Structures are given as structure tokens and as C-alpha cells.
Amino acid sequence: MLKKLTYLTLIVASTQFFTACTGSSNKSSDSDELAITDSLASDAPLELSEEVIGDVIQNVSSPVEMANLIKSSGVEFSQKILNNTEKVDEYDTSFKRALNLGVYSADLGYINTFDKNTIVVSYLLAIKNLADGIKVGQFFDFNSLKRVATNSNNLDSLMEISVSSFNKMDSYLRSQKRSNVSSLIVTGASIEGLYITAKAIEATKNQDLIDRLAEQKDIVNILMIILNNYSQNESFAELASKIAVLEKAYESVKITTEFSEPKSMEKDGKLVIVQDEKSIVEISDETLKAIIKEIEVIREFVVL
Amino acid sequence: MRKIIFSLIVLLSMSYASYAQCGDDLLKQALKEMGESQYIKDYTIELVKDKKDTKTGYVKFSVVLQSRTQYKFNLANGDTNPEQIILQVKQGDKLEASNMHNGKLYNEFEFICGKTGVYNLLFSFKGGSEGCAKAVQSLVKQF
């Protein structure tokens, strides 16, 4: 009896110890069950390893800063510029689902910034449907998200839960050697972020937004690195070729750095550090028009 | 034999405690300290020595920070950490900001970014000790 009890306790202790060491992340070892079975499957070797591409993917910024800047520019919220959630059933390949999962997540960030909780649920539902379609729906607790979303005081919590869900999903995809899916999600989110910004610029001609759009030159270069890594796949190659045109349009954007004295101050026990470098952006009207045009072309390709 | 069972039960309890002190409660603490700024992302740091090592190293995350933007970083340390977490914000090899300033460690700091680009967030523990922590990055304001 004692032997059995000792054995049982050992197993439970080992299990708990393992759980403690690895945190609370969701796990599944059944990779066959979660494998993508259509257009994203490929055995061709990658130029960059999963680890390197994972680092590169992290470099694509969140939509929060851009959405906040759009709001502070004074532009009115416009639902018509967002991707329509009724299209969700038309995305019937893993490639399209992953891309538009990114698109709807950027839309959700924009909606959240403008506190438009009346339409949040339909976007959450679209995200959940697409996530299920690429076998990562387990990271989105739709009922919790819906409960938080329908309480107008809880939109910050909604952002925390949804960003956290995306982070867990991204970690999971990378652990399953499915960085190609993560790549499409961040590409979709980035393109939608650029598109929303472009539309806000057209409406306001706001110089801060124009500068911010111009500064995304490096991000577009990063997207090219990511997509080129999977260009042996026809769909990736087609998307990369469209982003290459945008990269070309960005070529004449000039970004220089101005140096100043670094500053740090402590106020009420809190530390604030001011960077000693400042970027100066130069972009002509012609270049801006060309960039916006290419963003629209890519966005149409992504959401159609 | 009873002693063995007792020891195993103690081990089991410790492993539960270890999980609790580095789990969601720590994130909740960092989120609470974030205050009114807008949540962007959170980071989990768990540094454990390898058998061959005498010290832990660091864990690195890459992130794009936008110009003319004031960010806040809140750090929450695991209850049993012997030392506090240190965050260094670097671009390439250049140290741009850290919660360790003039020999003092802060649980939060704000960084006013002047140049859009890829930055590295390097987390480590003083003296290379083991420990866990959570960090939350948030948006304070844009200029």
C-alpha cells in the first residue's frame, strides 16, 4: 500500500514540478491533429531557422501605438474602412485565414482604441472562427472575451486578454514549427494597420500620421524578410511580390537621426528616461501617394 | 517510508508554491501597477541555472518602439527571488534605458522613444541569480 502511495505521490509531484517549471502555457503534443493540411504545408528548406524567424516576427509592432495616434489626430471612427466580418466564411484556405486573422486583430485594436464596444463581439467572433480554422482556436476563450467586451468599462481588459491570447498562440505556433502561420498573422495585422493609417491620412492630412507611416519603412523591410523565407510556397511568393512593390515605393523616404543630450529624471519616485536620438523623416507628396496606392493594392489582395 | 512520503508531499507543495509565485498573480500585480496607461504587451521571465553554470544569463525579446512615444515598463518580481529583475532597453549594443539607474533599482520606468526601430529588451537578475518575473509594456502618451 505504502509503495503504491509513494509511487502515486512521485508521479503527481513530478507532474506538478514540470508544470511549475514551464508556466501556465497551453500545451499539446499531438502535432498531427493540429497540422495544417492545405496550402501552408511545405517540406522545402527555409533560408532562416524557425528561431531566427521567430525573433524577426517579434519585431513587427503592435497596432496600439498607431491606433492611438489616429485617435489623437481627431479623425472620426469609421467602421467602413475595416474588413467586413461577413467575409469570414469566404476565407477557406489556411493562407487566407491566417492573413485575415491578423487583419481582424488590427481592426480589433482600432475598435478598442475608439471604445466602440457595440461592434467588438462580431470581430471577436470572426477572429475565433478563423483561429479555429487554422487549429489555434483553443487560445481564444470566446465566452470570456465576449463577457469582457460587452462591459464598456472593460475594454482595456479585453485588450489584455486578446493580446495575451495572440502571444500564447504565437508561442504555440513557433513551438510547433508553424512560424509560417505566425508570419501571415503579423503580415495581415501590419497591412491592416498601414491601411487604416493611410485612410486616416486621406481624411486628415495629419503630418504626425504621415511621418509615422513613412517611418514604417523598416517594418516593410522586415515583412519582406519574413515572407521571402517562405517564398517556395506560391501564395507566399505572390504576397511577397506585392510587398516588394511597396518596399520600392518606400525607397525614397529619407530617415535621418539627430542627436541630443540624454536625459533622465526622477519624479515622485518614478524614473523617466528620454532617448538622446530623434528621427527626422522626409517624404514627398508624390512618394506618400505612391505608398498609399500600394498599401491599398496589397490590402485588397489580402481581404478579397 | 513515512518520512519519504512526507518529503514528497513537501516537494509537491513547494512545486505548487513555485508555480503560484510566477503565475498569473504576478502578471495581475504588474498590470495593476501599470495604472492608466494603455497595455501593449507582457513578458514572462524565468531564469534557471544550467548544471554547468554558476550564474544565469539573460532573456532577450525584440520589440519595435515608435518615435515620439512615451512607454512604461512595470516589473513584478517573484516572491522568492533572491534578487530583483533588471531590464535593459538596448538598440544594437547601445544601452538606451534601464530600471537600474545610478545604482538604484526601480520597479517601473518610463522611456520616451525618439527613434522608431527594433529594440532589444534584456532581462537578467543581479549577480546572475535564479528567479522569475513578469513585465508589462504600456503606452503612456504620444507627442
Side-chain angles (χ1 to χ4, degrees), chain A residues 98 100-106 108 124 127-128 131 136 139-140 145 159-173 182 185-186 189:
Chain A
N100 283 284
L101 178 56
V103 168
Y104 287 127
S105 74
L108 187 65
L124 285 173
I127 287 170
K128 171 71 174 156
V136 288
F139 297 105
F140 293 89
L145 285 165
M159 208 55 193
E160 286 154 25
I161 297 171
S162 52
V163 171
S164 168
S165 303
F166 271 99
N167 287 343
K168 283 177 186 166
M169 182 183 68
D170 179 52
S171 299
Y172 172 77
L173 285 168
S182 286
I185 296 169
V186 296

Side-chain angles (χ1 to χ4, degrees), chain A:
Chain A
M1 176 66 189
L2 264 178
K3 264 188 184 172
K4 277 186 183 170
L5 190 58
T6 308
Y7 183 66
L8 185 67
T9 314
L10 255 177
I11 290 174
V12 177
S14 310
T15 309
Q16 291 307 319
F17 184 70
F18 181 74
T19 309
C21 289
T22 52
S24 59
S25 61
N26 291 285
K27 292 181 195 69
S28 171
S29 57
D30 192 351
S31 56
D32 289 341
E33 184 191 322
L34 299 179
I36 290 290
T37 52
D38 58 26
S39 56
L40 292 185
S42 172
D43 292 328
L46 300 175
E47 280 181 36
L48 300 170
S49 68
E50 287 276 339
E51 190 183 353
V52 171
I53 206 76
D55 276 349
V56 177
I57 287 170
Q58 282 184 47
N59 291 341
V60 180
S61 58
S62 86
V64 173
E65 293 100 314
M66 198 72 98
N68 216 60
L69 199 65
I70 289 170
K71 189 181 180 185
S72 58
S73 75
V75 68
E76 291 286 314
F77 175 82
S78 169
Q79 191 180 346
K80 69 178 183 196
I81 64 171
L82 304 180
N83 194 20
N84 193 330
T85 53
E86 286 175 9
K87 283 188 190 165
V88 78
D89 292 333
E90 295 167 23
Y91 303 132
D92 55 1
T93 64
S94 296
F95 183 84
K96 279 283 184 182
R97 284 176 186 141
L99 264 179
N100 283 284
L101 178 56
V103 168
Y104 287 127
S105 74
D107 288 345
L108 187 65
Y110 175 68
I111 292 165
N112 178 64
T113 302
F114 280 84
D115 296 335
K116 298 292 176 188
N117 63 328
T118 50
I119 57 168
V120 159
V121 174
S122 63
Y123 279 82
L124 285 173
L125 193 56
I127 287 170
K128 171 71 174 156
N129 283 344
L130 293 178
D132 283 341
I134 54 171
K135 313 291 184 197
V136 288
Q138 70 270 33
F139 297 105
F140 293 89
D141 180 354
F142 178 71
N143 289 331
S144 296
L145 285 165
K146 188 180 168 187
R147 195 169 54 247
V148 172
T150 46
N151 181 342
S152 62
N153 297 321
N154 272 345
L155 286 179
D156 267 349
S157 302
L158 170 72
M159 208 55 193
E160 286 154 25
I161 297 171
S162 52
V163 171
S164 168
S165 303
F166 271 99
N167 287 343
K168 283 177 186 166
M169 182 183 68
D170 179 52
S171 299
Y172 172 77
L173 285 168
R174 282 195 268 143
S175 73
Q176 297 291 309
K177 310 264 185 253
R178 287 171 63 192
S179 290
N180 53 350
V181 181
S182 286
S183 303
L184 289 172
I185 296 169
V186 296
T187 302
S190 298
I191 296 301
E192 187 71 351
L194 292 173
Y195 180 76
I196 293 170
T197 310
K199 291 289 140 191
I201 288 170
E202 284 179 345
T204 63
K205 312 284 179 224
N206 181 289
Q207 192 58 45
D208 286 341
L209 284 176
I210 293 170
D211 288 350
R212 191 55 58 97
L213 187 75
E215 282 181 334
Q216 304 313 302
K217 183 178 184 177
D218 286 347
I219 308 304
V220 173
N221 294 340
I222 291 170
L223 290 180
M224 278 306 296
I225 293 169
I226 294 173
L227 295 173
N228 278 336
N229 203 41
Y230 305 104
S231 57
Q232 70 277 15
N233 177 296
E234 202 177 295
S235 302
F236 272 89
E238 189 180 4
L239 180 59
S241 70
K242 292 187 185 304
I243 293 184
V245 182
L246 176 62
E247 191 182 34
K248 184 87 182 157
Y250 262 105
E251 266 179 11
S252 47
V253 172
K254 196 175 164 193
I255 302 172
T256 51
T257 304
E258 196 175 82
F259 293 90
S260 59
E261 284 297 308
K263 282 184 212 159
S264 58
M265 60 202 99
E266 192 186 288
K267 197 178 174 187
D268 302 326
K270 292 183 177 171
L271 177 65
V272 180
I273 299 160
V274 185
Q275 192 176 22
D276 60 353
E277 291 177 35
K278 199 166 83 176
S279 48
I280 310 292
V281 180
E282 288 173 51
I283 177 171
S284 67
D285 287 347
E286 195 179 90
T287 301
L288 179 65
K289 275 182 197 159
I291 287 171
I292 290 176
K293 181 179 157 244
E294 293 312 323
I295 289 170
E296 286 170 345
V297 169
I298 299 167
R299 205 272 191 166
E300 193 177 349
F301 170 77
V302 168
V303 303
L304 268 185

Side-chain angles (χ1 to χ4, degrees), chain B residues 67-86:
Chain B
S67 68
R68 303 182 302 282
T69 304
Q70 186 164 350
Y71 294 95
K72 188 196 275 187
F73 294 92
N74 287 91
L75 304 159
N77 284 279
D79 292 341
T80 57
N81 288 357
E83 296 289 349
Q84 286 180 277
I85 190 82
I86 299 172

